[in-house]
């Protein structure tokens, strides 16, 4: 864990908050996410709640980004509807973000404790999926334990 913080992208928080305020309706959409692509573009999305475990806003954002040709994210944030503010990613989202974007930064915290941290700080002793996949010869990938 590096505990290294980065500047907070307030424009990204505002973008997610705007989507939460204007697009989240009822119980189906309760969270919004915004991410800044490496090229500076902002991508937004909302969750798709379902009793079977529908995808979180961060996961919907990954697909939305891909449809817009964005495959490299710099920073991501999730914001709850009804002015709940910044909400940290759940465990599943942390793992997926690490696997898709190992260098992505995540905005977490509330009030004067808002900060931007590397995704790896949110998953100490991380499991890196790619390190545990077998190659064509049936051996573990380099770096696998």
């Amino acid at each position: 864990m590096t505990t290294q913080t980065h500047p907070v992208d307030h424009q990204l928080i505002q973008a997610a908050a705007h989507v939460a305020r204007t697009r989240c309706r009822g119980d189906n959409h309760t969270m919004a996410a915004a991410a800044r692509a490496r090229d500076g573009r902002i991508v937004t999305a909302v969750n798709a709640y379902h009793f079977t475990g529908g995808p979180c806003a961060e996961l919907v954002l990954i697909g939305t980004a891909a449809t817009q040709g964005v495959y490299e994210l710099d920073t991501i944030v999730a914001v709850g509807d009804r002015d709940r503010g910044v909400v940290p990613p759940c465990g599943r989202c942390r793992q997926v973000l690490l696997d898709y974007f190992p260098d992505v930064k995540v905005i977490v915290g509330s009030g004067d404790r808002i900060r931007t941290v590397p995704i790896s700080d949110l998953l100490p002793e991380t499991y890196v999926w790619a390190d545990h996949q077998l190659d064509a010869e049936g051996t573990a990938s380099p770096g696998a334990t």
Side-chain angles (χ1 to χ4, degrees):
M1 186 180 218
T2 65
T3 64
Q4 175 184 6
T5 59
H6 300 270
V8 174
D9 187 335
H10 292 282
Q11 185 181 24
L12 205 57
I13 296 169
Q14 291 170 354
H18 174 74
V19 170
R21 211 173 25 259
T22 61
R23 300 292 183 246
C24 290
R25 297 282 188 255
D27 292 337
N28 292 334
H29 308 291
T30 58
M31 295 290 298
R36 185 169 303 279
R38 295 258 184 223
D39 66 9
R41 287 184 284 171
I42 292 178
V43 178
T44 60
V46 298
N47 69 321
Y49 178 79
H50 191 264
F51 73 91
T52 61
C56 297
E58 296 93 333
L59 300 185
V60 175
L61 186 134
I62 291 170
T64 301
T67 65
Q68 296 177 20
V70 174
Y71 298 99
E72 295 182 33
L73 298 181
D74 182 69
T75 307
I76 190 167
V77 65
V79 172
D81 66 347
R82 296 173 292 225
D83 295 318
R84 289 184 289 143
V86 173
V87 177
C90 73
R92 177 177 65 169
C93 288
R94 292 174 192 212
Q95 184 67 54
V96 172
L97 287 168
L98 176 75
D99 290 336
Y100 272 76
F101 311 103
D103 297 322
V104 73
K105 296 179 289 297
V106 183
I107 299 173
V108 295
S110 62
D112 61 353
R113 297 196 63 232
I114 296 267
R115 61 199 181 283
T116 305
V117 299
I119 186 65
S120 57
D121 279 10
L122 299 180
L123 278 174
E125 302 295 327
T126 60
Y127 172 88
V128 178
W129 183 80
D131 289 348
H132 301 279
Q133 301 311 299
L134 299 179
D135 62 17
E137 287 83 42
T139 58
S141 301
T145 55

